[in-house]
Amino acid sequence: MNDFTYWAPTKYVFGRDAENRVGQLACEFGGKKVLLVYGGGSVVRSGLLERVKSALDLSGIEYMEMGGIHPNPTDDRVYEGIDIVRSNGIDMLIAVGGGSVIDTAKGIACGAPYEGDFWDFYCGKKIVDKALPVGVVLTIPAAGSEGSGNSVITKLDGLIKLSLRTEHWLRPRFSVMNPELTFTLPPYQTACGIVDMMAHIFERYFTNTPDCEVTDRVAEGVLKSIIAEGHKVIDNPVDYEARANVMWAATLAHNGVCGTGRVEDWSSHFIEHELSAVYDVAHGAGLAVVVPAWMRYVAERNVGRVAQFARRVMDVTAADDRTAALEGIERLRSFYHGIGMPLSFTELGIEQPDIPRLVEKLHEHKGNPIGNYVKLGPEDTDAIYRLMY
Amino acid sequence: MNDFTYWAPTKYVFGRDAENRVGQLACEFGGKKVLLVYGGGSVVRSGLLERVKSALDLSGIEYMEMGGIHPNPTDDRVYEGIDIVRSNGIDMLIAVGGGSVIDTAKGIACGAPYEGDFWDFYCGKKIVDKALPVGVVLTIPAAGSEGSGNSVITKLDGLIKLSLRTEHWLRPRFSVMNPELTFTLPPYQTACGIVDMMAHIFERYFTNTPDCEVTDRVAEGVLKSIIAEGHKVIDNPVDYEARANVMWAATLAHNGVCGTGRVEDWSSHFIEHELSAVYDVAHGAGLAVVVPAWMRYVAERNVGRVAQFARRVMDVTAADDRTAALEGIERLRSFYHGIGMPLSFTELGIEQPDIPRLVEKLHEHKGNPIGNYVKLGPEDTDAIYRLMY
């Protein structure tokens, strides 16, 4: 086990009607004038935004609004938000939505008090050492941004999708999590979220750091529960208990508790980010194609953890590691397929992927090699993209 | 799954030489004048206390000392600490030790800024709404107090052992966790810690709240890892990796992540507290006798979770719930016995337990009934104590 620092100070308020407590929580963390960040019309149509505003009104908190954040959020909205914050004396961001909305709020939160370009943080030029507090009203269990110190933003100029990781600065001060808010999520988006949260665990689970038994068992446990509850939410979208389990699992998958003490990987995410930066695919759907391809490739080179995953999570009993690993990957693909996820470029709607360009951009953005469980150079990532046909 | 708030803001700094960072951490959390609280001579003899003081010196932090805290810590030392804090302008407590030391520091932390008697918090008369910050340098993985908002103190007058539970006020701001500091723990004390941390999970795991699959799987995972790594630390006390896993497991067992969304039980702890308040037994050793007795009693009345524990954690395959449950309990007893723990009053060194008095005091202190998984009145707890012969 490697040395680590783990600091996850987010206050989670979980359960029915939790959004009504957002005013009180904003007060508790010092908010006086808030910028509400949100996405499309669903938070308006559902009445959620009105309930959040009422809660803020009740607590005497002023607010301004910035809506219309899209999936795969872009830097232009971050710049816009920074301007609003600076011009209006905003002292807290509250994101009402999923990962894209939260990540935009985080970009604004670190960018507003910084005199330079917020993109400096995302491209690694600067380390975040100050940020406005961020609160969250979560509507999509997937990205795990409600409990993480991370943010992913795409720069429109060049379609560069980069992720920023902070130890604690960008962890939300509070996250309000009402599973009922996810009842209306369409099955496809629900499934994308399931794939994404599982991938957040895989990126931490596939490691060469030995002797992390506790973290392994926690990670395996959360994965098992996602598979069990994932089937249920697809079968019955208004199953409160299953929605609640999936929502909490998404948070644990990415708040760091599944990754303590080990070197992490993240190559599947990097490989996918190139897809969703260029093609019009949902991040989770992209991962459903990328992750099994990546696993098949690395299983031939470093089978140990893939076999452990197959046995402990997918209940494979084969004695031989390679056989077990491949069977585990097939079971994972079956699970993805069973919840309606694509398994190939074609099913993803990408008819003629430009693999050489994907590989070139991938390593241009993320370096060479990428990954840690197996180090991947351009020949490797080219081969992995080709496993996705 | 029940609604819940989960807020565990402790910053964990885990790994080799971590104690050298205590000065920097104290600064980070605003400490200027610290009261160092510690136990017997081992932290002095090992040089740990000197290293902690050097780290504070290097960061320019003043400190005073209060040593000699005993296991099953008592209110007299809390009053003494409150006096020291008030008379000397102390603004932070740093506990160097295990649960007894940390719990004493927590008692002082909430008692010092309160104009009344700190015991008001422990007997439920008052709710903590203010406390000095507490930091920890952990030497014993067992109580989980390094990550919890809880504290257990015994009132000398009447030997009443009561626990205080706060959502976040008494959670340490930081906990420094160096597994090497546990290399010198004697096997018996190591084993007591293992039993204690497992019991912290059991108290949360045995619940009638349905549909907490994520929390269940996390709890089961931590239990499985404790059993695997627990054997190793007993076999080889200087196995860094096993010590590290046990240390981190103890924290996860009690920082709340194994208990989200459900009604908890805590009757085994209450039943044990009466033993260690009156007889000279270590809390963990007492629990090794209490927990299996409690489990056998409740398995006859509410078998479901005991069977689930037996199958998912102890790998029992029996199809019948009762058979599975009883086999699981026997395997747990074997594990306890294998790490050198007592399984009966006699092995615990209590030759003639005064059961009627234990039962009377138990319900006088903790009410009637106690517990939630199965509600236990005096006839029940009497029967459970009798299962310990």
Side-chain angles (χ1 to χ4, degrees), chain A residues 36 58 62 66 97 114 175 198 220 248 258-259 315 317 320 325 338 347 358 387:
Chain A
L36 282 174
L58 270 174
E62 281 188 81
M66 186 175 92
Y114 173 60
S175 284
M198 291 178 74
E220 289 156 358
W248 187 232
C258 291
D315 298 324
T317 54
D320 171 65
E347 290 182 15
L358 287 168
L387 284 171

Side-chain angles (χ1 to χ4, degrees), chain A residues 8 10 16 48 74 89 141 204 256 274 316 318 328 333 380:
Chain A
T10 304
R16 296 167 185 85
L48 172 61
T74 47
R204 294 169 164 95
E274 296 308 314
V316 175
R333 282 165 56 93
D380 304 300

Side-chain angles (χ1 to χ4, degrees), chain B residues 303-304 306-312 315-328 331:
Chain B
V303 74
V306 192
Q308 180 176 317
F309 158 73
R311 294 191 180 111
R312 291 193 183 177
D315 298 325
V316 175
T317 53
D320 171 65
D321 274 1
R322 185 170 176 279
T323 311
L326 296 181
E327 174 62 22
R331 291 188 190 186

Side-chain angles (χ1 to χ4, degrees), chain B residues 71-73 152 154 159 161 269-287 290 348 350 358 385:
Chain B
N72 298 319
V152 182
T154 297
L159 290 182
K161 189 170 189 173
H269 265 73
F270 292 164
I271 293 169
E272 196 295 313
H273 281 173
E274 296 308 315
L275 288 184
S276 53
V278 176
Y279 302 100
D280 182 28
V281 302
H283 175 54
L287 283 170
V290 169
L348 204 51
I350 303 174
L358 286 168
Y385 279 122

Side-chain angles (χ1 to χ4, degrees), chain A residues 1-16 21 28-29 167-168 173 210-215 217-218 220-222 224-226 228-229 232 240-242 244-246 248-249 252 255 257 260, chain B residues 1-16 21 28-29 167-168 173 210-215 217-218 220-222 224-226 228-229 232 240-242 244-246 248-249 252 255 257 260:
Chain A
M1 194 191 295
N2 293 344
D3 298 350
F4 64 87
T5 297
Y6 181 62
W7 192 13
T10 304
K11 179 171 184 172
Y12 302 103
V13 176
F14 192 103
R16 296 167 185 85
R21 290 172 60 187
E28 189 178 335
F29 289 94
E167 185 196 64
H168 77 285
R173 301 299 172 91
D211 298 314
C212 297
E213 181 68 5
V214 180
T215 312
R217 290 285 183 190
V218 171
E220 289 156 358
V222 180
K224 274 187 97 78
S225 63
I226 294 170
E229 304 294 312
K232 292 188 203 167
Y240 179 89
E241 302 293 351
N245 274 288
V246 166
W248 187 232
L252 295 184
N255 81 343
V257 74
T260 44
Chain B
M1 193 190 297
N2 292 346
D3 298 350
F4 64 87
T5 297
Y6 182 61
W7 193 13
T10 304
K11 179 173 184 173
Y12 303 103
V13 175
F14 191 102
R16 296 165 183 89
R21 291 173 60 185
E28 188 178 334
F29 289 94
E167 185 197 61
H168 78 285
R173 301 298 171 93
D211 298 313
C212 297
E213 182 68 3
V214 181
T215 311
R217 289 285 182 187
V218 170
E220 290 156 357
V222 179
K224 275 189 97 78
S225 62
I226 294 170
E229 304 294 313
K232 292 189 203 168
Y240 179 88
E241 302 293 351
N245 274 289
V246 167
W248 187 233
L252 295 183
N255 81 343
V257 74
T260 43

Side-chain angles (χ1 to χ4, degrees), chain A residues 358-380:
Chain A
L358 287 168
V359 170
E360 186 196 328
K361 286 289 167 194
L362 169 61
H363 293 285
E364 183 186 317
H365 298 149
K366 302 297 169 28
N368 179 11
I370 63 163
N372 286 300
Y373 182 61
V374 173
K375 301 261 181 208
L376 304 171
E379 305 76 35
D380 304 300

Side-chain angles (χ1 to χ4, degrees), chain B residues 213-369:
Chain B
E213 182 68 3
V214 181
T215 311
D216 274 6
R217 289 285 182 187
V218 170
E220 290 156 357
V222 179
L223 282 169
K224 275 189 97 78
S225 62
I226 294 170
I227 292 171
E229 304 294 313
H231 279 298
K232 292 189 203 168
V233 292
I234 298 297
D235 290 349
N236 178 12
V238 297
D239 178 340
Y240 179 88
E241 302 293 351
R243 287 286 194 186
N245 274 289
V246 167
M247 195 175 215
W248 187 233
T251 304
L252 295 183
H254 203 42
N255 81 343
V257 74
C258 291
T260 43
R262 74 249 319 262
V263 174
E264 303 184 359
D265 190 81
W266 293 97
S267 48
S268 293
H269 265 73
F270 292 164
I271 293 169
E272 196 295 313
H273 281 173
E274 296 308 315
L275 288 184
S276 53
V278 176
Y279 302 100
D280 182 28
V281 302
H283 175 54
L287 283 170
V289 179
V290 169
V291 167
W294 174 86
M295 264 191 214
R296 276 157 65 189
Y297 191 81
V298 301
E300 301 294 348
R301 284 148 188 87
N302 189 359
V303 74
R305 302 286 299 181
V306 192
Q308 180 176 317
F309 158 73
R311 294 191 180 111
R312 291 193 183 177
V313 179
M314 306 310 289
D315 298 325
V316 175
T317 53
D320 171 65
D321 274 1
R322 185 170 176 279
T323 311
L326 296 181
E327 174 62 22
I329 296 166
E330 278 318 299
R331 291 188 190 186
L332 179 67
R333 283 166 54 94
S334 294
F335 170 69
Y336 286 164
H337 198 251
I339 60 171
M341 284 285 96
L343 294 178
S344 65
F345 277 130
T346 310
E347 291 183 12
L348 204 51
I350 303 174
E351 288 306 330
Q352 294 195 309
D354 184 349
I355 289 179
R357 181 154 173 81
L358 286 168
V359 169
E360 185 195 330
K361 285 289 167 193
L362 168 62
H363 293 285
E364 183 185 317
H365 297 149
K366 302 295 170 29
N368 179 10

